[in-house]
Amino acid sequence: MEIGVDIIENKRFAKFKITHDHLNSLYTKSELSFLQSKKYEEKYFAQLFAIKEAVSKALCYGFSQGVSPLDIEVEIIKNSPKITLHGRAKEVFIEKGYSSIDVSVTSNDISLAICIIK
């Protein structure tokens, strides 16, 4: 079992709204659709990114080690995050013999995400 945690100030994501290339390097098309449905509020950018960071940390394979933020796709279903892994993140998950990913996120002025991988 591995645990990953990430915390981030929501206001850090205000500038990302206007940088199209940067958004496309962090968020999948479905995540960008979700963000659009939330009127691009900073807290949702931060929540999704905190979840991606927490998952990468639980995998023990950070973004600087070959896992891309696009390899970790987050879908929010009834306020509960569901994770789909792609690319190197999926390979690491399979190589390590994991079977489940659980994530929780909360947000106010900061977003805090916790991931447990078993």
Side-chain angles (χ1 to χ4, degrees), residues 29-88:
K29 289 180 182 179
S30 68
E31 291 167 340
L32 289 170
S33 293
F34 168 78
L35 292 167
Q36 183 180 23
S37 76
K38 296 298 184 182
K39 302 191 184 327
Y40 298 112
E41 287 184 53
E42 295 168 11
K43 75 176 185 177
Y44 296 107
F45 284 93
Q47 284 178 359
L48 293 182
F49 192 75
I51 291 168
K52 290 171 178 271
E53 280 278 6
V55 171
S56 74
K57 290 174 182 176
L59 287 171
C60 301
Y61 224 87
F63 294 144
S64 64
Q65 298 170 308
V67 171
S68 163
L70 299 176
D71 290 342
I72 302 166
E73 188 166 17
V74 181
E75 183 180 7
I76 307 293
I77 302 171
K78 296 183 181 179
N79 295 324
S80 180
K82 177 184 177 264
I83 307 301
T84 302
L85 300 177
H86 306 282
R88 186 64 185 136

Side-chain angles (χ1 to χ4, degrees), residues 8-48:
I8 192 162
E9 288 182 293
N10 295 346
K11 67 183 178 182
R12 287 185 54 198
F13 284 80
K15 64 184 173 203
F16 293 154
K17 294 179 191 176
I18 58 171
T19 311
H20 185 71
D21 289 340
H22 197 89
L23 286 176
N24 287 326
S25 70
L26 297 176
Y27 302 103
T28 66
K29 289 180 182 179
S30 68
E31 291 167 340
L32 289 170
S33 293
F34 168 78
L35 292 167
Q36 183 180 23
S37 76
K38 296 298 184 182
K39 302 191 184 327
Y40 298 112
E41 287 184 53
E42 295 168 11
K43 75 176 185 177
Y44 296 107
F45 284 93
Q47 284 178 359
L48 293 182

